[in-house]
């Protein structure tokens, strides 16, 4: 399909598209995406190059700090983000999940105040998922979404209040090879944003809501500025009054933690808040300081809790920053998936979730994330206790919080050890997740936790870092390529016995998943994002 419209370039779409997909991939919508790509694509490339330059500097110095050139923004007391729209004032529980139709219906009906409709880490970029996700979102906005399971069970939206939709497009680092503009793959961020905004912005506004987004993987305020310019252009292009877009930024990279205020400032006409994206944050720290020596080696990922000093500094700074500027602070994910067979597992896990949400509410967060509908009442309860008759905690300014660069980088004070059990768990989770991901599933229940790409990123990056630092395990052994390779081989055999191969199921991706895991864990060079080489393994027609 070729499209030319104004400054739009030549657009080509590959991959199969059914009738519903053609309602999304219209010439007008693709022309809009092409305009975004032509106008903003070059700046995106420049900012991605800047990421590499900054990371190289950190590798030389072993240091990050608050930017001196933006000190005036942090020091200016007067500026605030725009007031939130009505359906974003109360965000005490947000449920996250992919745009699978069944899971979308359950999320919208869950009783949560918002649904993070995830086109990123809980999704995979199989072309079917990309297109179907947009169809599901369009139907959800218009309250016509339904799903009938193979066994005939029907899932339909309730008649009352549904969760407010907040869409998470893919990050700036990803491209969409099925949509090319002048022969080059378009930014996946602009494809996801552009299609959703074009088809739904006016509809949402007419229904008393608006086009709301979660912005992932930002590493600087300049990347936030790019999103602000995209929003401004999109609103102008579609005749929408400025500032109707609302964006919540995930502070899930270590450089972004040093630019929270600047990110809010760049998005001040659009910003709705910041989120403590804890899992990707851990991955980012490992990635950034992977070669900075043993002081930057973290213990087993399951041992790194939100009470670790560097994580406390990060979350408390986020709350203070948000409330200082009139933005909402949203807490991290409770990923537990309740078991229908093991009440004891549920009891222990629910107590941990309860403690986590109670801590977030006590610290001043305005809301938090859950991955399963059964956790919505528990999270609601914890915030109800703290908020009382209020809908948020914006008035809690947390002026008692004072966080330094050293506090954010104090990984050495993290309690816990690197253990053989943790190593094997990293191998098991990464292999199982990659197997499912290559098969087309991005949100996977593994060992009673709902895992997405961030989990696999932490697991494989820890393994790489432990190998390259020859980290000592609790057994006395040092982590070597041979030790990790043996663990991968053993987990591969265990998983193959569980799922089998050759039936068109998830097991058919197992060999490719093993090869990919070995490449990114045992290789000399660190791969910045696991999903980039994984994308290359997906059949281009799927």
């Amino acid at each position: 399909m070729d499209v030319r419209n104004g400054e739009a370039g030549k657009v080509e779409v590959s991959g199969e598209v059914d009738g519903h997909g053609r309602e999304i991939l219209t010439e007008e919508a693709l022309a809009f995406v092409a305009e975004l790509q032509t106008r903003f694509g070059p700046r995106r490339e420049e900012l991605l190059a800047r990421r590499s330059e900054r990371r190289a500097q950190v590798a030389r110095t072993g240091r990050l700090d608050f930017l001196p050139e933006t000190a005036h923004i942090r020091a200016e007391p007067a500026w605030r983000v725009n007031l939130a729209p009505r359906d974003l004032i109360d965000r005490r529980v947000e449920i996250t999940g992919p745009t699978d139709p069944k899971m979308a219906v359950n999320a919208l009906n869950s009783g949560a105040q918002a649904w993070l409709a995830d086109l990123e880490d809980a999704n995979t970029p199989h072309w079917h998922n990309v297109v179907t996700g947009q169809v599901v979102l369009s139907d959800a906005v218009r309250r016509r979404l339904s799903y009938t399971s193979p066994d005939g069970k029907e899932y339909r939206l309730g008649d009352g209040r549904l969760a407010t939709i907040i869409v998470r497009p893919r990050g700036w680092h990803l491209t969409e090879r099925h949509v090319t503009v002048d022969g080059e793959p378009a930014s996946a961020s602009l494809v996801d944003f552009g299609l959703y905004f074009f088809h739904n912005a006016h509809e949402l506004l007419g229904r008393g809501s608006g086009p709301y987004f979660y912005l992932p993987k930002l590493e600087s305020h300049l990347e936030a500025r790019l999103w602000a310019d995209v929003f401004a252009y999109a609103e102008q292009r579609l005749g929408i009054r400025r500032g109707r877009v609302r964006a919540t930024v995930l502070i899930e990279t270590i450089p972004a933690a040093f630019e929270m205020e600047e990110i809010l400032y760049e998005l001040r006409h659009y910003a709705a808040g910041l989120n403590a994206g804890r899992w990707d944050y851990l991955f980012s720290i490992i990635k950034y300081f992977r070669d900075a020596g043993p002081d930057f080696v973290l213990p087993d990922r399951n041992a790194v809790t939100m009470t670790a000093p560097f994580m406390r500094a990060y979350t408390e700074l986020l709350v203070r920053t948000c409330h200082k500027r009139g933005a909402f602070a949203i807490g991290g994910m409770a990923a537990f998936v309740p078991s229908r067979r093991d009440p004891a597992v549920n009891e222990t896990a629910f107590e941990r979730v309860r403690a986590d949400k109670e801590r977030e509410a006590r610290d001043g967060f305005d809301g938090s994330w859950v991955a399963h509908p059964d956790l919505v009442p528990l999270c609601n309860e914890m915030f109800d206790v703290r908020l009382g008759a209020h809908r948020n905690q914006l008035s809690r300014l947390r002026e008692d919080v004072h966080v330094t660069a050293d506090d954010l980088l104090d990984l050495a004070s993290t309690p816990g050890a690197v253990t053989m059990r943790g190593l094997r768990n990293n191998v098991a989770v990464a292999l199982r997740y990659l197997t499912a991901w290559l098969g087309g599933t991005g949100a996977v229940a593994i060992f009673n936790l709902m895992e997405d790409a961030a989990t696999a990123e932490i697991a494989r990056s820890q393994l790489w870092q432990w190998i390259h630092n020859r980290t000592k395990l609790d057994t006395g052994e040092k982590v070597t390529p041979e030790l990790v390779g043996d663990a991968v081989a053993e987990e591969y055999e265990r998983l193959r016995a569980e799922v089998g191969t050759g039936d068109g199921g998830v097991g058919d991706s197992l060999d490719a998943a093993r090869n990919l895991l070995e490449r990114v864990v045992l290789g000399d060079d660190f791969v910045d994002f696991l999903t980039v080489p994984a994308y290359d393994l997906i059949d281009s027609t799927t």
Side-chain angles (χ1 to χ4, degrees):
M1 181 184 297
D2 294 350
V3 180
R4 290 186 179 275
N5 183 17
E7 63 178 277
K10 179 182 179 182
V11 181
E12 294 182 320
V13 175
S14 60
E16 297 181 3
V17 181
D18 62 15
H20 292 298
R22 282 190 284 273
E23 296 173 7
I24 296 297
L25 297 169
T26 63
E27 290 192 3
E28 295 80 8
L30 288 170
F32 179 66
V33 170
E35 290 178 31
L36 297 177
Q37 176 64 29
T38 301
R39 177 176 285 257
F40 300 106
R43 277 177 58 195
R44 166 187 168 271
E45 294 286 349
E46 293 171 2
L47 290 171
L48 291 178
R50 186 178 181 275
R51 286 185 181 183
S52 298
E53 294 167 2
R54 190 178 192 187
R55 155 57 201 159
Q57 181 182 17
V58 169
R60 291 192 301 270
T61 65
R63 186 72 183 169
L64 269 172
D65 210 334
F66 298 98
L67 300 178
E69 62 267 29
T70 56
H72 63 285
I73 294 175
R74 300 191 297 274
E76 170 54 55
W79 66 267
R80 299 286 187 278
V81 303
N82 278 359
L83 294 175
R86 181 182 57 187
D87 55 347
L88 286 181
I89 292 175
D90 185 343
R91 302 176 63 176
R92 67 189 70 193
V93 186
E94 298 185 351
I95 188 167
T96 74
T99 48
D100 167 88
K102 173 186 169 182
M103 296 180 77
V105 170
N106 287 340
L108 289 163
N109 288 339
S110 68
Q113 280 72 30
W115 169 43
L116 187 156
D118 198 359
L119 301 176
E120 195 219 18
D121 273 2
N123 199 16
T124 74
H126 290 70
W127 181 234
H128 171 78
N129 289 351
V130 172
V131 178
T132 299
Q134 294 287 343
V135 172
V136 167
L137 289 170
S138 177
D139 286 346
V141 167
R142 292 159 180 80
R143 298 183 72 115
R144 66 190 183 205
L145 179 64
S146 64
Y147 172 74
T148 303
S149 68
D151 61 3
K153 184 176 181 180
E154 293 188 351
Y155 297 80
R156 298 187 180 280
L157 298 178
D159 295 328
R161 182 194 171 278
L162 303 178
T164 297
I165 299 171
I166 309 177
V167 174
R168 176 159 71 169
R170 285 169 284 177
W172 282 130
H173 62 289
L174 296 171
T175 59
E176 176 50 67
R177 68 179 175 216
H178 298 92
V179 179
T180 61
V181 178
D182 292 332
E184 294 296 325
S187 161
S189 303
L190 297 178
V191 171
D192 293 345
F193 165 79
L195 292 176
Y196 179 73
F197 187 85
F198 183 86
H199 287 293
N200 300 294
H202 282 290
E203 184 74 23
L204 285 161
L205 292 167
R207 291 173 176 267
S209 186
Y212 306 147
F213 298 92
Y214 259 107
L215 304 181
K217 307 290 192 292
L218 296 191
E219 293 196 9
S220 76
H221 68 287
L222 298 179
E223 295 178 19
R225 182 184 299 171
L226 177 57
W227 269 119
D229 290 344
V230 170
F231 296 155
Y233 178 79
E235 289 176 331
Q236 180 273 326
R237 171 70 170 74
L238 267 62
I240 292 172
R241 181 162 57 85
R242 178 184 172 183
R244 303 308 295 272
V245 172
R246 281 293 188 277
T248 303
V249 176
L250 293 111
I251 301 299
E252 56 184 353
T253 69
I254 183 63
F258 287 88
E259 300 183 36
M260 293 186 196
E261 284 194 77
E262 294 92 328
I263 286 170
L264 286 176
Y265 179 80
E266 296 294 346
L267 286 161
R268 59 196 179 279
H269 300 299
Y270 303 105
L274 303 177
N275 168 269
R278 60 176 74 170
W279 304 129
D280 266 305
Y281 188 71
L282 288 176
F283 161 55
S284 174
I285 288 175
I286 298 167
K287 176 169 67 172
Y288 242 71
F289 296 102
R290 60 185 181 266
D291 44 17
D295 284 346
F296 287 87
V297 173
L298 288 170
D300 294 354
R301 63 184 178 89
N302 290 330
V304 182
T305 69
M306 299 306 293
T307 60
F310 78 100
M311 294 299 282
R312 289 291 291 161
Y314 152 65
T315 54
E316 292 201 309
L317 178 62
L318 189 145
V319 173
R320 175 182 168 88
T321 300
C322 284
H323 291 180
K324 176 182 177 182
R325 303 304 182 180
F328 298 114
I330 308 300
M333 170 71 79
F336 176 64
V337 178
S339 171
R340 306 301 183 197
R341 302 177 181 176
D342 196 335
V345 168
N346 289 348
E347 183 178 354
T348 300
F350 274 118
E351 283 307 308
R352 290 176 179 171
V353 172
R354 183 183 301 274
D356 184 51
K357 300 311 172 189
E358 183 179 30
R359 175 192 52 76
E360 288 181 328
R362 185 176 62 248
D363 285 349
F365 280 95
D366 302 290
S368 191
W369 282 6
V370 299
H372 194 279
D374 287 356
L375 299 180
V376 170
L378 188 156
C379 188
N380 247 326
E381 177 189 350
M382 293 300 96
F383 278 89
D384 285 349
V385 169
R386 192 72 194 186
L387 269 62
H390 301 284
R391 291 178 291 181
N392 53 64
Q393 300 195 77
L394 288 179
S395 61
R396 287 195 63 197
L397 299 181
R398 292 305 312 270
E399 293 177 340
D400 58 305
V401 172
H402 303 282
V403 173
T404 67
D406 288 338
D407 294 330
L408 291 172
L409 298 177
D410 183 19
L411 276 65
S413 297
T414 306
V418 180
T419 70
M420 179 64 79
R421 182 178 181 180
L423 184 150
R424 291 186 174 278
N425 180 264
N426 276 346
V427 169
V429 169
L431 185 61
R432 289 165 185 263
Y433 182 80
L434 277 176
T435 300
W437 194 97
L438 292 172
T441 302
V444 188
I446 304 174
F447 307 143
N448 291 114
L449 295 175
M450 186 61 73
E451 309 288 18
D452 65 13
T455 305
E457 292 283 29
I458 299 170
R460 64 92 181 183
S461 60
Q462 276 202 317
L463 292 169
W464 189 97
Q465 187 186 36
W466 292 345
I467 289 172
H468 284 261
N469 282 273
R470 295 188 63 81
T471 301
K472 191 174 182 179
L473 296 171
D474 60 332
T475 60
E477 298 173 86
K478 289 187 176 180
V479 182
T480 63
E482 294 74 22
L483 181 66
V484 174
D486 289 345
V488 172
E490 291 172 16
E491 182 59 29
Y492 167 83
E493 293 298 338
R494 185 178 294 110
L495 187 53
R496 187 173 69 169
E498 288 181 21
V499 302
T501 57
D503 60 355
V506 67
D508 287 352
S509 302
L510 180 55
D511 286 343
R514 175 184 178 174
N515 292 336
L516 177 58
L517 181 59
E518 289 175 336
R519 172 155 54 111
V520 299
V521 168
L522 304 179
D524 290 336
D525 297 324
F526 187 89
V527 176
D528 278 348
F529 289 99
L530 179 60
T531 48
V532 173
Y535 190 26
D536 293 336
L537 298 177
I538 297 174
D539 188 316
S540 63
T541 64
T542 60

